[in-house]
Amino acid sequence: MDQFPLDGRITDLAGFARLGEEGVDLFLPDSSNADVPGFQVSELDLAPAIDEVFRPSPRRIVVSSFASHIHRIQQVIDAAHLYGRKVAFVGRSMVRNMETARELGYLKVPRGMVVDFRDLERMPASKAVFICTGAQGEPMAALARMASRDHAIDLAEGDTVLLASSLIPGNESAIYRLINDLTKLGANVVHKGNAKVHVSGHASAGELVYCYNLVRPRNVMPLHGEHRHLKANAELAVRTGVDPKKALVVEDGTVIDLKDGVARVAGSVPADYVYVVDMVAGAA
């Protein structure tokens, strides 16, 4: 619910209120930051921190971000342009998403600024910025392969790696292993733990409470997060007036029956495996 978004498109709070007036039977809010008090800061507040990474860096800069986070990529491109650097996108999802974002006009890139990463490898290190995936320590992502010397981009002493993402619960070991591997190569690793380089895309408690008070749902089923996050989210709902019996904290596989404006647990199904069915071939 950024009040100063980079694209100028603010959250439609009036729309939320209209839905609340019409009546909402079941509200399913994200829970990842439900136990974080207050509000997320604006994306605009990251600009000085990103500048602090670019301005003193004498060699190459590698930025790892979610391939869906177009606003963050725009901030990196703006900083690279300011300091006279060229940019290369690395990784299939990053290349594909950025091409689509440029075609749709969501990503503004100065002419001639984006080059192939192989061409960028041959340019002076002080002129290079690589934007890739892998900030969560995914073993097959571009950044992890760089860290293990299994990528065409050969990181060297003095390079800077910026992890422009938050630490998703459950990924701690993989991320810290990645940071250690990059540090062993001599890279200067900048991440949310030592610099203000990321704003979470998940609502904090203050934003969730705003939503509850606007939507005024009859039933709530928190989603997305560990059990402690789901529980914290349900407690916020109850504090805003939701009946405790209608704030459902459930696990994967739980069957919810919604009838006559009342949600209740009706049973469960095995959720240990995910079956993908090919609707054309008819085979699982």
Side-chain angles (χ1 to χ4, degrees):
M1 295 170 66
D2 194 339
Q3 297 302 297
F4 302 97
L6 296 179
D7 61 1
R9 299 169 62 187
I10 65 171
T11 303
D12 185 10
L13 298 180
F16 276 45
R18 284 194 298 271
L19 292 173
E21 290 295 331
E22 294 174 11
V24 174
D25 283 335
L26 182 63
F27 188 36
L28 301 94
D30 171 30
S31 306
S32 299
N33 280 335
D35 58 351
V36 177
F39 297 80
Q40 294 294 331
V41 299
S42 173
E43 292 280 349
L44 285 177
D45 293 346
L46 298 188
I50 293 175
D51 184 82
E52 282 296 316
V53 172
F54 274 74
R55 181 164 39 80
S57 297
R59 289 182 48 81
R60 296 176 298 181
I61 298 174
V62 178
V63 179
S64 184
S65 175
F66 296 116
S68 58
H69 202 336
I70 298 170
H71 287 174
R72 184 61 38 73
I73 305 304
Q74 184 68 68
Q75 289 176 307
V76 172
I77 288 174
D78 292 345
H81 182 59
L82 177 64
Y83 289 100
R85 291 175 177 259
K86 297 288 187 180
V87 169
F89 298 122
V90 184
R92 284 192 297 259
S93 61
M94 183 65 73
V95 171
R96 183 175 59 250
N97 280 23
M98 294 309 109
E99 285 178 351
T100 301
R102 292 175 71 180
E103 291 172 1
L104 295 176
Y106 294 131
L107 188 70
K108 310 295 183 184
V109 182
R111 184 182 299 273
M113 187 174 179
V114 173
V115 300
D116 186 87
F117 81 87
R118 295 174 184 84
D119 296 331
L120 194 55
E121 273 279 83
R122 294 190 286 268
M123 295 181 183
S126 61
K127 298 296 182 182
V129 176
F130 300 95
I131 302 177
C132 67
T133 56
Q136 294 301 310
E138 303 95 319
M140 296 305 295
L143 188 59
R145 293 174 56 205
M146 292 179 206
S148 62
R149 296 291 196 197
D150 184 33
H151 197 278
I153 297 174
D154 189 20
L155 293 178
E157 184 83 29
D159 287 342
T160 296
V161 177
L162 169 59
L163 303 181
S165 67
S166 59
L167 191 156
I168 294 177
N171 293 349
E172 294 90 346
S173 295
I175 294 173
Y176 290 135
R177 187 183 309 115
L178 175 65
I179 292 174
N180 282 323
D181 289 344
L182 292 167
T183 303
K184 288 177 184 178
L185 297 179
N188 171 36
V189 185
V190 183
H191 53 88
K192 190 176 181 181
N194 59 19
K196 189 177 179 181
V197 292
H198 181 68
V199 172
S200 177
H202 303 279
S204 293
E207 290 150 325
L208 288 169
V209 168
Y210 258 98
C211 289
Y212 283 129
N213 285 330
L214 286 169
V215 176
R216 292 175 291 173
R218 298 183 181 93
N219 304 270
V220 171
M221 188 171 73
L223 298 179
H224 200 283
E226 298 180 341
H227 189 86
R228 59 192 172 94
H229 302 123
L230 303 178
K231 186 70 164 57
N233 203 346
E235 290 173 352
L236 292 175
V238 171
R239 289 177 60 190
T240 61
V242 175
D243 184 339
K245 295 180 181 179
K246 297 181 180 180
L248 308 178
V249 178
V250 298
E251 303 289 342
D252 290 349
T254 304
V255 177
I256 304 299
D257 182 28
L258 180 62
K259 182 180 180 181
D260 297 329
V262 177
R264 64 179 183 86
V265 175
S268 64
V269 297
D272 294 333
Y273 303 96
V274 176
Y275 295 95
V276 179
V277 178
D278 187 330
M279 299 303 292
V280 177

mmCIF file of all heavy atoms in Angstrom, residues 64-100:
data_model
loop_
_atom_site.group_PDB
_atom_site.id
_atom_site.type_symbol
_atom_site.label_atom_id
_atom_site.label_comp_id
_atom_site.label_asym_id
_atom_site.label_seq_id
_atom_site.Cartn_x
_atom_site.Cartn_y
_atom_site.Cartn_z
ATOM 1 N N SER A 64 20.932 -9.012 -7.831
ATOM 2 C CA SER A 64 20.009 -10.142 -7.906
ATOM 3 C C SER A 64 18.675 -9.729 -7.311
ATOM 4 O O SER A 64 18.609 -9.213 -6.193
ATOM 5 C CB SER A 64 20.581 -11.351 -7.151
ATOM 6 O OG SER A 64 19.733 -12.468 -7.298
ATOM 7 N N SER A 65 17.608 -9.967 -8.061
ATOM 8 C CA SER A 65 16.279 -9.549 -7.636
ATOM 9 C C SER A 65 15.255 -10.536 -8.173
ATOM 10 O O SER A 65 15.547 -11.355 -9.048
ATOM 11 C CB SER A 65 15.976 -8.140 -8.154
ATOM 12 O OG SER A 65 14.654 -7.747 -7.848
ATOM 13 N N PHE A 66 14.042 -10.465 -7.655
ATOM 14 C CA PHE A 66 12.956 -11.240 -8.230
ATOM 15 C C PHE A 66 12.708 -10.743 -9.650
ATOM 16 O O PHE A 66 12.665 -9.537 -9.897
ATOM 17 C CB PHE A 66 11.680 -11.085 -7.402
ATOM 18 C CG PHE A 66 11.788 -11.622 -6.005
ATOM 19 C CD1 PHE A 66 11.675 -10.780 -4.912
ATOM 20 C CD2 PHE A 66 12.004 -12.972 -5.780
ATOM 21 C CE1 PHE A 66 11.768 -11.261 -3.620
ATOM 22 C CE2 PHE A 66 12.106 -13.474 -4.493
ATOM 23 C CZ PHE A 66 11.985 -12.621 -3.412
ATOM 24 N N ALA A 67 12.518 -11.656 -10.571
ATOM 25 C CA ALA A 67 12.301 -11.275 -11.966
ATOM 26 C C ALA A 67 10.967 -10.569 -12.170
ATOM 27 O O ALA A 67 10.745 -9.957 -13.215
ATOM 28 C CB ALA A 67 12.374 -12.516 -12.859
ATOM 29 N N SER A 68 10.095 -10.634 -11.181
ATOM 30 C CA SER A 68 8.798 -9.969 -11.269
ATOM 31 C C SER A 68 8.821 -8.541 -10.720
ATOM 32 O O SER A 68 7.846 -7.805 -10.880
ATOM 33 C CB SER A 68 7.742 -10.780 -10.496
ATOM 34 O OG SER A 68 8.138 -10.922 -9.139
ATOM 35 N N HIS A 69 9.926 -8.161 -10.071
ATOM 36 C CA HIS A 69 9.967 -6.868 -9.380
ATOM 37 C C HIS A 69 10.459 -5.784 -10.335
ATOM 38 O O HIS A 69 11.610 -5.338 -10.275
ATOM 39 C CB HIS A 69 10.880 -6.965 -8.165
ATOM 40 C CG HIS A 69 10.598 -5.918 -7.126
ATOM 41 N ND1 HIS A 69 9.997 -4.713 -7.428
ATOM 42 C CD2 HIS A 69 10.830 -5.889 -5.788
ATOM 43 C CE1 HIS A 69 9.881 -4.001 -6.332
ATOM 44 N NE2 HIS A 69 10.375 -4.697 -5.323
ATOM 45 N N ILE A 70 9.576 -5.336 -11.214
ATOM 46 C CA ILE A 70 9.944 -4.386 -12.261
ATOM 47 C C ILE A 70 10.390 -3.051 -11.674
ATOM 48 O O ILE A 70 11.327 -2.417 -12.168
ATOM 49 C CB ILE A 70 8.764 -4.189 -13.231
ATOM 50 C CG1 ILE A 70 8.434 -5.527 -13.907
ATOM 51 C CG2 ILE A 70 9.095 -3.143 -14.294
ATOM 52 C CD1 ILE A 70 7.160 -5.510 -14.703
ATOM 53 N N HIS A 71 9.735 -2.609 -10.592
ATOM 54 C CA HIS A 71 10.117 -1.331 -9.985
ATOM 55 C C HIS A 71 11.561 -1.365 -9.491
ATOM 56 O O HIS A 71 12.304 -0.392 -9.652
ATOM 57 C CB HIS A 71 9.185 -1.000 -8.824
ATOM 58 C CG HIS A 71 7.825 -0.577 -9.251
ATOM 59 N ND1 HIS A 71 6.802 -0.356 -8.367
ATOM 60 C CD2 HIS A 71 7.313 -0.325 -10.484
ATOM 61 C CE1 HIS A 71 5.709 0.008 -9.034
ATOM 62 N NE2 HIS A 71 6.000 0.037 -10.309
ATOM 63 N N ARG A 72 11.967 -2.470 -8.882
ATOM 64 C CA ARG A 72 13.341 -2.557 -8.386
ATOM 65 C C ARG A 72 14.327 -2.536 -9.540
ATOM 66 O O ARG A 72 15.379 -1.878 -9.466
ATOM 67 C CB ARG A 72 13.490 -3.833 -7.545
ATOM 68 C CG ARG A 72 14.861 -4.000 -6.877
ATOM 69 C CD ARG A 72 15.198 -2.883 -5.893
ATOM 70 N NE ARG A 72 14.034 -2.459 -5.148
ATOM 71 C CZ ARG A 72 13.448 -3.164 -4.167
ATOM 72 N NH1 ARG A 72 13.950 -4.325 -3.805
ATOM 73 N NH2 ARG A 72 12.383 -2.690 -3.539
ATOM 74 N N ILE A 73 14.004 -3.259 -10.596
ATOM 75 C CA ILE A 73 14.880 -3.271 -11.768
ATOM 76 C C ILE A 73 14.991 -1.876 -12.359
ATOM 77 O O ILE A 73 16.067 -1.444 -12.789
ATOM 78 C CB ILE A 73 14.353 -4.258 -12.830
ATOM 79 C CG1 ILE A 73 14.161 -5.654 -12.235
ATOM 80 C CG2 ILE A 73 15.307 -4.306 -14.020
ATOM 81 C CD1 ILE A 73 15.381 -6.238 -11.584
ATOM 82 N N GLN A 74 13.889 -1.126 -12.369
ATOM 83 C CA GLN A 74 13.917 0.254 -12.881
ATOM 84 C C GLN A 74 14.861 1.115 -12.053
ATOM 85 O O GLN A 74 15.629 1.926 -12.597
ATOM 86 C CB GLN A 74 12.508 0.851 -12.850
ATOM 87 C CG GLN A 74 12.419 2.243 -13.455
ATOM 88 C CD GLN A 74 12.662 2.230 -14.949
ATOM 89 O OE1 GLN A 74 11.861 1.711 -15.714
ATOM 90 N NE2 GLN A 74 13.786 2.811 -15.383
ATOM 91 N N GLN A 75 14.832 0.948 -10.738
ATOM 92 C CA GLN A 75 15.730 1.725 -9.875
ATOM 93 C C GLN A 75 17.185 1.401 -10.166
ATOM 94 O O GLN A 75 18.045 2.287 -10.178
ATOM 95 C CB GLN A 75 15.400 1.446 -8.408
ATOM 96 C CG GLN A 75 14.082 2.055 -7.941
ATOM 97 C CD GLN A 75 13.753 1.674 -6.516
ATOM 98 O OE1 GLN A 75 13.746 0.497 -6.159
ATOM 99 N NE2 GLN A 75 13.492 2.658 -5.687
ATOM 100 N N VAL A 76 17.474 0.140 -10.410
ATOM 101 C CA VAL A 76 18.848 -0.276 -10.716
ATOM 102 C C VAL A 76 19.285 0.301 -12.062
ATOM 103 O O VAL A 76 20.414 0.798 -12.208
ATOM 104 C CB VAL A 76 18.949 -1.814 -10.721
ATOM 105 C CG1 VAL A 76 20.316 -2.260 -11.233
ATOM 106 C CG2 VAL A 76 18.705 -2.363 -9.321
ATOM 107 N N ILE A 77 18.409 0.263 -13.045
ATOM 108 C CA ILE A 77 18.730 0.816 -14.361
ATOM 109 C C ILE A 77 18.971 2.318 -14.263
ATOM 110 O O ILE A 77 19.912 2.857 -14.869
ATOM 111 C CB ILE A 77 17.598 0.505 -15.356
ATOM 112 C CG1 ILE A 77 17.618 -0.987 -15.710
ATOM 113 C CG2 ILE A 77 17.722 1.355 -16.623
ATOM 114 C CD1 ILE A 77 16.473 -1.438 -16.568
ATOM 115 N N ASP A 78 18.150 3.006 -13.485
ATOM 116 C CA ASP A 78 18.336 4.453 -13.308
ATOM 117 C C ASP A 78 19.693 4.762 -12.677
ATOM 118 O O ASP A 78 20.384 5.705 -13.093
ATOM 119 C CB ASP A 78 17.216 5.020 -12.432
ATOM 120 C CG ASP A 78 15.858 4.987 -13.118
ATOM 121 O OD1 ASP A 78 15.812 4.797 -14.350
ATOM 122 O OD2 ASP A 78 14.835 5.116 -12.411
ATOM 123 N N ALA A 79 20.076 3.964 -11.674
ATOM 124 C CA ALA A 79 21.373 4.178 -11.023
ATOM 125 C C ALA A 79 22.517 3.869 -11.983
ATOM 126 O O ALA A 79 23.524 4.599 -12.027
ATOM 127 C CB ALA A 79 21.482 3.302 -9.774
ATOM 128 N N ALA A 80 22.376 2.807 -12.760
ATOM 129 C CA ALA A 80 23.412 2.452 -13.727
ATOM 130 C C ALA A 80 23.576 3.561 -14.763
ATOM 131 O O ALA A 80 24.701 3.928 -15.135
ATOM 132 C CB ALA A 80 23.052 1.132 -14.405
ATOM 133 N N HIS A 81 22.467 4.119 -15.226
ATOM 134 C CA HIS A 81 22.518 5.207 -16.209
ATOM 135 C C HIS A 81 23.199 6.440 -15.614
ATOM 136 O O HIS A 81 24.012 7.101 -16.289
ATOM 137 C CB HIS A 81 21.094 5.542 -16.651
ATOM 138 C CG HIS A 81 21.018 6.609 -17.690
ATOM 139 N ND1 HIS A 81 21.625 6.511 -18.932
ATOM 140 C CD2 HIS A 81 20.403 7.828 -17.678
ATOM 141 C CE1 HIS A 81 21.395 7.604 -19.626
ATOM 142 N NE2 HIS A 81 20.664 8.420 -18.898
ATOM 143 N N LEU A 82 22.891 6.731 -14.359
ATOM 144 C CA LEU A 82 23.482 7.888 -13.687
ATOM 145 C C LEU A 82 25.002 7.782 -13.630
ATOM 146 O O LEU A 82 25.716 8.786 -13.790
ATOM 147 C CB LEU A 82 22.906 8.021 -12.277
ATOM 148 C CG LEU A 82 23.460 9.143 -11.404
ATOM 149 C CD1 LEU A 82 23.130 10.510 -12.001
ATOM 150 C CD2 LEU A 82 22.900 9.044 -9.982
ATOM 151 N N TYR A 83 25.510 6.562 -13.425
ATOM 152 C CA TYR A 83 26.955 6.379 -13.269
ATOM 153 C C TYR A 83 27.624 5.849 -14.540
ATOM 154 O O TYR A 83 28.756 5.351 -14.483
ATOM 155 C CB TYR A 83 27.231 5.457 -12.081
ATOM 156 C CG TYR A 83 26.930 6.143 -10.760
ATOM 157 C CD1 TYR A 83 25.732 5.897 -10.085
ATOM 158 C CD2 TYR A 83 27.819 7.061 -10.220
ATOM 159 C CE1 TYR A 83 25.445 6.557 -8.897
ATOM 160 C CE2 TYR A 83 27.536 7.722 -9.040
ATOM 161 C CZ TYR A 83 26.347 7.463 -8.378
ATOM 162 O OH TYR A 83 26.055 8.120 -7.201
ATOM 163 N N GLY A 84 26.938 5.966 -15.665
ATOM 164 C CA GLY A 84 27.552 5.647 -16.945
ATOM 165 C C GLY A 84 27.869 4.185 -17.157
ATOM 166 O O GLY A 84 28.856 3.850 -17.831
ATOM 167 N N ARG A 85 27.039 3.313 -16.630
ATOM 168 C CA ARG A 85 27.255 1.871 -16.772
ATOM 169 C C ARG A 85 26.269 1.262 -17.775
ATOM 170 O O ARG A 85 25.186 1.778 -17.974
ATOM 171 C CB ARG A 85 27.123 1.162 -15.427
ATOM 172 C CG ARG A 85 28.244 1.476 -14.434
ATOM 173 C CD ARG A 85 27.963 0.825 -13.092
ATOM 174 N NE ARG A 85 29.027 1.033 -12.118
ATOM 175 C CZ ARG A 85 29.960 0.145 -11.806
ATOM 176 N NH1 ARG A 85 29.949 -1.043 -12.396
ATOM 177 N NH2 ARG A 85 30.887 0.412 -10.909
ATOM 178 N N LYS A 86 26.680 0.152 -18.370
ATOM 179 C CA LYS A 86 25.809 -0.641 -19.224
ATOM 180 C C LYS A 86 25.203 -1.778 -18.386
ATOM 181 O O LYS A 86 25.757 -2.177 -17.373
ATOM 182 C CB LYS A 86 26.591 -1.242 -20.401
ATOM 183 C CG LYS A 86 27.192 -0.204 -21.345
ATOM 184 C CD LYS A 86 26.123 0.478 -22.171
ATOM 185 C CE LYS A 86 26.750 1.390 -23.219
ATOM 186 N NZ LYS A 86 25.732 2.073 -24.049
ATOM 187 N N VAL A 87 24.070 -2.291 -18.865
ATOM 188 C CA VAL A 87 23.338 -3.308 -18.120
ATOM 189 C C VAL A 87 23.111 -4.536 -18.984
ATOM 190 O O VAL A 87 22.826 -4.419 -20.187
ATOM 191 C CB VAL A 87 21.976 -2.761 -17.630
ATOM 192 C CG1 VAL A 87 21.090 -3.879 -17.099
ATOM 193 C CG2 VAL A 87 22.178 -1.690 -16.574
ATOM 194 N N ALA A 88 23.221 -5.702 -18.363
ATOM 195 C CA ALA A 88 22.870 -6.954 -19.033
ATOM 196 C C ALA A 88 21.944 -7.752 -18.126
ATOM 197 O O ALA A 88 22.175 -7.838 -16.916
ATOM 198 C CB ALA A 88 24.121 -7.771 -19.347
ATOM 199 N N PHE A 89 20.894 -8.314 -18.702
ATOM 200 C CA PHE A 89 19.995 -9.192 -17.959
ATOM 201 C C PHE A 89 20.497 -10.625 -18.100
ATOM 202 O O PHE A 89 20.843 -11.074 -19.200
ATOM 203 C CB PHE A 89 18.564 -9.081 -18.494
ATOM 204 C CG PHE A 89 17.974 -7.708 -18.350
ATOM 205 C CD1 PHE A 89 17.518 -7.004 -19.455
ATOM 206 C CD2 PHE A 89 17.873 -7.115 -17.094
ATOM 207 C CE1 PHE A 89 16.967 -5.742 -19.323
ATOM 208 C CE2 PHE A 89 17.334 -5.842 -16.950
ATOM 209 C CZ PHE A 89 16.885 -5.159 -18.063
ATOM 210 N N VAL A 90 20.497 -11.357 -16.980
ATOM 211 C CA VAL A 90 21.041 -12.708 -16.966
ATOM 212 C C VAL A 90 20.012 -13.660 -16.357
ATOM 213 O O VAL A 90 19.460 -13.390 -15.291
ATOM 214 C CB VAL A 90 22.355 -12.772 -16.147
ATOM 215 C CG1 VAL A 90 22.960 -14.172 -16.224
ATOM 216 C CG2 VAL A 90 23.343 -11.725 -16.627
ATOM 217 N N GLY A 91 19.778 -14.770 -17.030
ATOM 218 C CA GLY A 91 18.797 -15.742 -16.548
ATOM 219 C C GLY A 91 17.543 -15.685 -17.394
ATOM 220 O O GLY A 91 17.052 -14.606 -17.727
ATOM 221 N N ARG A 92 16.983 -16.853 -17.735
ATOM 222 C CA ARG A 92 15.850 -16.902 -18.654
ATOM 223 C C ARG A 92 14.654 -16.088 -18.178
ATOM 224 O O ARG A 92 14.061 -15.320 -18.935
ATOM 225 C CB ARG A 92 15.432 -18.362 -18.877
ATOM 226 C CG ARG A 92 16.352 -19.133 -19.809
ATOM 227 C CD ARG A 92 15.713 -20.450 -20.192
ATOM 228 N NE ARG A 92 15.521 -21.292 -19.029
ATOM 229 C CZ ARG A 92 16.309 -22.304 -18.701
ATOM 230 N NH1 ARG A 92 17.343 -22.598 -19.449
ATOM 231 N NH2 ARG A 92 16.069 -23.051 -17.633
ATOM 232 N N SER A 93 14.272 -16.254 -16.903
ATOM 233 C CA SER A 93 13.084 -15.558 -16.406
ATOM 234 C C SER A 93 13.311 -14.055 -16.367
ATOM 235 O O SER A 93 12.399 -13.273 -16.674
ATOM 236 C CB SER A 93 12.694 -16.073 -15.018
ATOM 237 O OG SER A 93 13.736 -15.843 -14.078
ATOM 238 N N MET A 94 14.531 -13.632 -16.009
ATOM 239 C CA MET A 94 14.827 -12.199 -15.965
ATOM 240 C C MET A 94 14.780 -11.599 -17.363
ATOM 241 O O MET A 94 14.166 -10.539 -17.590
ATOM 242 C CB MET A 94 16.202 -11.963 -15.325
ATOM 243 C CG MET A 94 16.569 -10.495 -15.176
ATOM 244 S SD MET A 94 15.480 -9.600 -14.036
ATOM 245 C CE MET A 94 16.027 -10.260 -12.440
ATOM 246 N N VAL A 95 15.402 -12.253 -18.324
ATOM 247 C CA VAL A 95 15.416 -11.750 -19.701
ATOM 248 C C VAL A 95 13.993 -11.685 -20.251
ATOM 249 O O VAL A 95 13.576 -10.676 -20.834
ATOM 250 C CB VAL A 95 16.295 -12.654 -20.596
ATOM 251 C CG1 VAL A 95 16.138 -12.270 -22.065
ATOM 252 C CG2 VAL A 95 17.762 -12.542 -20.181
ATOM 253 N N ARG A 96 13.222 -12.750 -20.037
ATOM 254 C CA ARG A 96 11.857 -12.803 -20.568
ATOM 255 C C ARG A 96 10.968 -11.727 -19.945
ATOM 256 O O ARG A 96 10.239 -11.009 -20.639
ATOM 257 C CB ARG A 96 11.271 -14.189 -20.303
ATOM 258 C CG ARG A 96 9.872 -14.392 -20.863
ATOM 259 C CD ARG A 96 9.395 -15.818 -20.685
ATOM 260 N NE ARG A 96 9.365 -16.222 -19.283
ATOM 261 C CZ ARG A 96 10.186 -17.106 -18.730
ATOM 262 N NH1 ARG A 96 11.131 -17.665 -19.471
ATOM 263 N NH2 ARG A 96 10.080 -17.420 -17.462
ATOM 264 N N ASN A 97 11.028 -11.603 -18.621
ATOM 265 C CA ASN A 97 10.181 -10.615 -17.942
ATOM 266 C C ASN A 97 10.530 -9.192 -18.328
ATOM 267 O O ASN A 97 9.649 -8.347 -18.515
ATOM 268 C CB ASN A 97 10.303 -10.779 -16.419
ATOM 269 C CG ASN A 97 9.454 -11.906 -15.896
ATOM 270 O OD1 ASN A 97 9.101 -12.828 -16.624
ATOM 271 N ND2 ASN A 97 9.125 -11.853 -14.615
ATOM 272 N N MET A 98 11.822 -8.897 -18.433
ATOM 273 C CA MET A 98 12.215 -7.535 -18.765
ATOM 274 C C MET A 98 11.878 -7.177 -20.204
ATOM 275 O O MET A 98 11.536 -6.034 -20.504
ATOM 276 C CB MET A 98 13.715 -7.334 -18.489
ATOM 277 C CG MET A 98 14.080 -7.434 -17.014
ATOM 278 S SD MET A 98 13.050 -6.396 -15.938
ATOM 279 C CE MET A 98 12.051 -7.638 -15.100
ATOM 280 N N GLU A 99 11.943 -8.150 -21.112
ATOM 281 C CA GLU A 99 11.534 -7.890 -22.488
ATOM 282 C C GLU A 99 10.040 -7.552 -22.527
ATOM 283 O O GLU A 99 9.617 -6.610 -23.205
ATOM 284 C CB GLU A 99 11.823 -9.116 -23.360
ATOM 285 C CG GLU A 99 13.295 -9.306 -23.687
ATOM 286 C CD GLU A 99 13.536 -10.554 -24.518
ATOM 287 O OE1 GLU A 99 12.578 -11.354 -24.687
ATOM 288 O OE2 GLU A 99 14.666 -10.736 -24.997
ATOM 289 N N THR A 100 9.253 -8.311 -21.787
ATOM 290 C CA THR A 100 7.805 -8.065 -21.741
ATOM 291 C C THR A 100 7.509 -6.714 -21.105
ATOM 292 O O THR A 100 6.661 -5.951 -21.587
ATOM 293 C CB THR A 100 7.095 -9.176 -20.946
ATOM 294 O OG1 THR A 100 7.363 -10.440 -21.563
ATOM 295 C CG2 THR A 100 5.590 -8.945 -20.906
#
